[in-house]
């Protein structure tokens, strides 16, 4: 038959493909010694921070990490593997508080960092002030909010504390797991060097060496006192010294 000729008339109406539905925000579960806390993560607003957080969760970085700082009606802080407030993953990530309006309202989740900008890493805190903490806005990256376990956060908030705002009874994240996430691999995109890593390693080595020395000193047998030292054996008066026998061989 005749071959069909290509259409040369007016352009036909174009129906664009339906846009892909927006993927839901990732959700992470923190199983703590006081119960479960679930956090919704604001990936669209803080993509690098969320990628870093999810990557650390998937590496089980937070398992066993304590809540090392609790200030009632201010915030509860965790994420430091050393439990001192000085530790981290070995690098910094840049702040991501620009370009969105996420505020430090109650139960919001934000990065904890040192005083200079762009020094966040693995530590984070949950705001517990019912009125929020507006003074922290545009200083820390708010990258999520609690969606389950508000009562658990409240229990941590009111726990008795010792020196340095550290809870008297240890409260820790037993396990951290991803509940749901978007359809891509999660990995931190931008890392900044942490110049404190080497100095902390040196300090830790010195502390471990001092602890070993103290332990050795505690386990070393005590020297006998001068008057307890073994006195030479004396024979009763009039007793002849024992004759030394000499073995005779044939």
């Amino acid at each position: 038959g005749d071959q069909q000729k290509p259409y040369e008339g007016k352009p036909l109406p174009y129906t664009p493909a339906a846009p892909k539905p927006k993927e839901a925000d990732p959700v992470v579960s923190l199983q703590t010694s006081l119960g479960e806390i679930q956090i919704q993560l604001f990936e669209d607003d803080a993509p690098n921070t969320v990628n870093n957080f999810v990557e650390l969760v998937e590496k089980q970085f937070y398992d066993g990490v304590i809540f090392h700082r609790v200030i009632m009606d201010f915030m509860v802080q965790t994420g430091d593997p050393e439990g001192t407030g000085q530790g981290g993953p070995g690098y910094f990530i840049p702040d991501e508080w620009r370009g969105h309006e996420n505020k430090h309202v109650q139960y919001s989740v934000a990065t904890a960092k040192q005083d200079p900008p762009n020094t966040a890493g693995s530590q984070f805190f949950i705001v517990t002030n019912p009125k929020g903490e507006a003074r922290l806005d545009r200083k820390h990256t708010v990258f999520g909010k609690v969606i389950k376990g508000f009562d658990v956060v409240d229990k941590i908030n009111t726990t008795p504390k010792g020196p340095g705002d550290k809870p008297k009874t240890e409260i820790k994240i037993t396990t951290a797991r991803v509940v749901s996430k978007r359809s891509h691999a999660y990995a931190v995109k931008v890392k900044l060097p942490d110049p404190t890593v080497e100095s902390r390693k040196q300090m830790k080595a010195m502390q471990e060496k001092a602890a070993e020395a103290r332990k050795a000193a505690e386990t070393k047998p005590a020297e006998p006192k001068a008057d307890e030292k073994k006195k030479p054996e004396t024979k009763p008066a009039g007793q002849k010294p024992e004759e030394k026998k000499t073995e005779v061989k044939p």
Side-chain angles (χ1 to χ4, degrees):
D2 296 335
Q3 292 185 352
Q4 186 175 2
K5 295 181 180 180
Y7 178 75
E8 296 177 351
K10 295 181 179 180
L12 296 173
Y14 172 69
T15 304
K20 292 182 179 179
K22 180 183 173 182
E23 292 188 89
D25 287 332
V27 174
V28 163
S29 168
L30 307 179
Q31 291 287 348
T32 78
S33 45
L34 294 180
E36 183 192 17
I37 300 170
Q38 283 195 9
I39 300 171
Q40 176 184 341
L41 304 175
F42 303 152
E43 184 172 346
D44 293 332
D45 298 330
N48 193 61
T49 304
V50 169
N51 268 268
N52 178 64
F53 186 68
V54 172
E55 180 182 11
L56 292 175
V57 168
E58 292 184 326
K59 289 181 176 179
Q60 301 181 14
F61 180 92
Y62 292 110
D63 292 8
V65 172
I66 65 171
F67 284 83
H68 64 273
R69 186 168 176 243
V70 172
I71 302 177
M72 190 171 69
D73 291 343
F74 173 34
M75 60 92 218
V76 299
Q77 186 172 338
T78 183
D80 175 8
E82 298 176 10
T84 62
Q86 302 297 316
Y91 57 83
F92 291 146
I93 58 174
D95 299 329
E96 289 186 293
W97 49 259
R98 297 173 179 83
H100 58 80
E101 297 300 321
N102 295 327
K103 306 294 185 183
H104 288 79
V105 297
Q106 187 181 23
Y107 302 119
S108 61
V109 182
T111 55
K113 64 184 184 67
Q114 300 175 14
D115 288 333
N118 304 316
T119 53
S122 59
Q123 294 189 45
F124 62 96
F125 62 91
I126 302 172
V127 176
T128 55
N129 186 346
K131 296 181 180 179
E133 290 291 342
R135 60 196 172 96
L136 300 180
D137 293 343
R138 302 179 68 81
K139 292 181 181 178
H140 299 262
T141 302
V142 175
F143 67 98
K145 66 178 181 180
V146 173
I147 57 173
K148 181 181 178 182
F150 302 100
D151 59 325
V152 178
V153 177
D154 293 343
K155 288 177 186 177
I156 301 172
N157 177 51
T158 56
T159 191
K161 304 181 300 293
D165 297 313
K166 190 173 185 178
K168 288 184 177 180
T169 301
E170 184 179 86
I171 303 171
K172 66 180 179 180
I173 300 171
T174 52
T175 58
R177 297 292 181 267
V178 176
V179 175
S180 61
K181 61 180 181 178
R182 296 181 178 177
S183 56
H184 64 82
Y186 281 77
V188 60
K189 302 294 190 292
V190 182
K191 291 183 182 180
L192 304 174
D194 179 356
T196 67
V197 171
E198 287 304 318
S199 60
R200 288 207 311 273
K201 283 182 180 178
Q202 292 173 6
M203 179 62 70
K204 186 176 181 180
M206 291 172 61
Q207 291 172 342
E208 289 175 348
K209 190 174 181 180
E212 289 175 1
R214 287 195 300 270
K215 187 176 180 181
E218 291 170 359
T219 55
K220 185 178 180 181
E223 289 287 337
K225 297 179 180 178
D227 57 348
E228 293 178 352
K229 289 184 178 179
K230 188 175 181 181
K231 297 178 181 179
E233 186 180 352
T234 56
K235 299 288 183 181
Q239 181 176 341
K240 292 183 180 181
E242 197 175 303
E243 293 184 5
K244 186 177 180 180
K245 296 182 180 179
T246 303
E247 183 180 2
V248 181
K249 295 183 179 180

